[in-house]
Amino acid sequence: MEVKKRYFRDPGISYFLFGPRGTGKSTWLKMRYTKDVLYIDLLSPELFRLYTARPERLNELIEGNPDKGIVIIDEIQKVPMLLDVVHQIIESNKDIRFILTGSSSRKLKRTGIDLLAGRAAYKTLHTFMASELGDDFNFEKALRFGLLPLVYDSENPTETLNAYIALYLNEEVKMEGLVRNIGDFSRFLEIISFSNGSVLNNTEIARECHVGRKAVESYISILEDILLAHKLPVFTKRAKRQLISHQKFYFFDAGVFRTLRPAGPLDSPHEIDGVALENIVMQHLMAWNAYHGNDNKLYFWRTKAGLEVDFVVYGPDTLTAIEVKNSRNIRSGDLKGLKAFKKDYSEAKCLFLYRGEEKLMKNGILCMPCNLFLQNLVPDEGIGES
Ligand SMILES: Nc1ncnc2c1ncn2[C@@H]1O[C@H](COP(=O)(O)OP(=O)(O)OP(=O)(O)O)[C@@H](O)[C@H]1O
Ligand SMILES: [Mg+2]
């Protein structure tokens, strides 16, 4: 596969570029910035050693190269101390722009990102969107292996996904000393995969993992910090009904979810496919929010009485409610949640994504083939517009 154009755009000021491993950060940077840049890759053991020992070396490098206006520091989380120096340089030298990439915000959280708040934008790179892949987008493949560039581009996606998870466990969790017992954490990963696309019940997970509830909470926050998972809050704006208060959990990618989810003879493949389908839609909405700009956010909706909508995108540009169903037919009960939502929020755009082949309007709800929805979703346009 040739190198694909990404929707991600340089914001024109210094910025952090975060994204899970293998989302194409380095590839994008190398394509976008070809000259007049200083490139520091902290994955190089030698540079890692030099900058850990003496972060001020960055000053000397910049002063020695006055013709270079952009400084890229790849894998900034490896040497968080560098952020102090970056901060000082931004304050004193208005001509230099920094691009700081990372695949984990765990160590940067308390110190770095806050320190640079207001001086550097916080940007994210996501898995491929269908429209970035164009003709190379294959819906079945995406459902099976997800949309991580590293995996989508691979000759052997299953093997790549397995290696990917092992790498996260070893390098991001174990070597960084994030947990005391890596065995407990691996078991937790397997168990939480059953909650993918569902509301989290930490007590239940703790019981199944044989660890305390506090440990589960800390494990979940690790997953979020190393960018492997997202939690969606309930949409509560102007609420007219009693809503539940728990958050919904998703791995960042359907392929990663499937790799972690054990599937034995008693597991329904149809059920797992359904969750993977939702996951793919979630990934696209996250990416759309990030590249579209303007701080739109992703939620879900569920009332205490059990009415539910899978996704709500809300922000200055949109109020869109989306229900996803892994089925070729639409039964009237399938639209119940969206109808209730529409009653409470008459201005909302309501979309029902299914596996059939036609676009249909039912009770003011546009029912759309999921595949078509994904292929037409682009950051420059609204959700479900074309
Ligand atoms: N734009 C693209 N088009 C096609 N394939 C891509 C693209 N970007 C990334 N890939 C594929 O994904 C692989 C990983 O990309 P890259 O190394 O840029 O990710 P990264 O986000 O920098 O990961 P890490 O956090 O591990 O450094 C590439 O080797 C390539 O196979
Ligand atoms: Mg990289």
Side-chain angles (χ1 to χ4, degrees):
M1 194 171 76
E2 89 272 23
V3 177
K4 294 289 177 191
K5 225 173 75 235
R6 307 299 304 270
Y7 289 130
F8 180 77
R9 290 285 163 271
D10 180 320
I13 54 171
S14 289
Y15 64 99
F16 287 98
L17 176 55
F18 277 106
R21 294 209 158 271
T23 38
K25 299 178 294 294
S26 301
T27 305
W28 185 84
L29 289 169
K30 288 196 176 117
M31 267 210 320
R32 172 67 178 71
Y33 306 101
T34 46
K35 52 178 199 295
D36 297 333
V37 293
L38 285 168
Y39 194 96
I40 303 169
D41 182 1
L42 294 174
L43 272 190
S44 140
E46 193 191 345
L47 290 180
F48 173 78
R49 199 160 28 76
L50 283 171
Y51 284 102
T52 308
R54 232 169 49 79
E56 313 80 53
R57 188 179 188 275
L58 184 61
N59 277 311
E60 299 162 7
L61 183 74
I62 289 172
E63 280 168 32
N65 293 274
D67 54 321
K68 308 274 202 277
I70 291 180
V71 182
I72 298 175
I73 307 182
D74 209 351
E75 309 277 344
I76 184 74
Q77 82 273 5
K78 299 264 171 214
V79 191
M81 278 185 313
L82 263 178
L83 287 176
D84 280 323
V85 184
V86 168
H87 182 213
Q88 287 158 15
I89 299 173
I90 293 185
E91 294 284 272
S92 60
N93 184 344
K94 300 277 174 277
D95 300 329
I96 292 273
R97 207 149 73 83
F98 285 93
I99 301 167
L100 310 162
T101 82
S103 52
S104 165
S105 60
R106 187 77 179 171
K107 284 189 176 163
L108 301 177
K109 246 189 175 167
R110 280 166 298 265
T111 50
I113 296 174
D114 291 343
L115 175 77
L116 287 175
R119 295 178 187 84
Y122 183 96
K123 296 283 167 189
T124 48
L125 191 67
H126 294 257
T127 51
F128 276 135
M129 289 178 80
S131 55
E132 285 176 315
L133 285 165
D135 289 343
D136 279 322
F137 177 67
N138 175 332
F139 192 31
E140 294 304 324
K141 179 175 169 184
L143 282 173
R144 185 78 203 81
F145 302 112
L147 285 165
L148 191 58
L150 176 77
V151 172
Y152 206 84
D153 191 34
S154 161
E155 304 254 306
N156 189 337
T158 304
E159 207 169 274
T160 307
L161 274 165
N162 282 322
Y164 184 82
I165 295 198
L167 175 122
Y168 254 96
L169 280 176
N170 278 323
E171 289 182 14
E172 302 290 335
V173 182
K174 194 172 166 195
M175 272 166 58
E176 297 289 324
L178 300 189
V179 298
R180 229 176 298 152
N181 185 329
I182 196 79
D184 281 352
F185 188 77
S186 307
R187 196 147 27 85
F188 155 80
L189 273 183
E190 198 174 300
I191 285 164
I192 202 170
S193 73
F194 287 88
S195 298
N196 199 58
S198 306
V199 167
L200 283 175
N201 180 339
N202 292 356
T203 312
E204 179 83 355
I205 295 171
R207 198 175 50 73
E208 284 182 46
C209 294
H210 306 294
V211 299
R213 232 179 77 107
K214 279 267 172 302
V216 166
E217 277 162 23
S218 125
Y219 287 172
I220 293 172
S221 94
I222 290 173
L223 284 186
E224 290 181 277
D225 286 347
I226 61 176
L227 311 176
L228 279 189
H230 302 293
K231 281 197 303 201
L232 307 191
V234 183
F235 182 69
T236 57
K237 255 211 159 59
R238 238 182 51 204
K240 295 192 175 150
R241 306 173 198 240
Q242 288 220 320
L243 303 172
I244 65 159
S245 57
H246 288 85
Q247 296 179 308
K248 204 156 89 159
F249 176 90
Y250 281 100
F251 281 104
F252 80 99
D253 177 69
V256 168
F257 153 63
R258 274 198 201 263
T259 308
L260 288 168
R261 171 75 154 82
L266 297 178
D267 288 295
S268 139
H270 184 75
E271 186 193 318
I272 298 178
D273 287 347
V275 180
L277 180 71
E278 262 183 52
N279 214 317
I280 291 287
V281 172
M282 186 281 304
Q283 295 170 228
H284 276 78
L285 296 173
M286 282 275 177
W288 184 89
N289 279 346
Y291 306 149
H292 181 78
N294 257 351
D295 220 21
N296 301 288
K297 289 204 166 64
L298 190 56
Y299 304 83
F300 77 109
W301 189 70
R302 187 179 300 169
T303 68
K304 283 205 167 137
L307 289 163
E308 161 173 39
V309 171
D310 289 332
F311 303 109
V312 175
V313 187
Y314 177 74
D317 302 326
T318 189
L319 171 54
T320 307
I322 299 175
E323 180 70 18
V324 184
K325 187 96 202 273
N326 187 28
S327 146
R328 295 187 59 81
N329 305 307
I330 308 167
R331 297 193 198 87
S332 75
D334 294 340
L335 302 176
K336 212 164 95 192
L338 284 173
K339 279 187 199 160
F341 192 85
K342 184 106 188 148
K343 206 178 251 169
D344 291 7
Y345 303 94
S346 59
E347 60 278 72
K349 173 191 268 183
C350 292
L351 295 172
F352 182 82
L353 307 180
Y354 75 126
R355 300 297 299 278
E357 266 142 39
E358 283 169 314
K359 273 165 101 171
L360 303 169
M361 187 63 92
K362 281 180 177 273
N363 306 89
I365 292 164
L366 182 61
C367 305
M368 211 176 170
C370 192
N371 191 4
L372 185 71
F373 169 81
L374 297 174
Q375 285 176 300
N376 287 335
L377 187 67
V378 294
D380 287 349
E381 288 173 37
I383 296 169
E385 230 142 69
S386 45

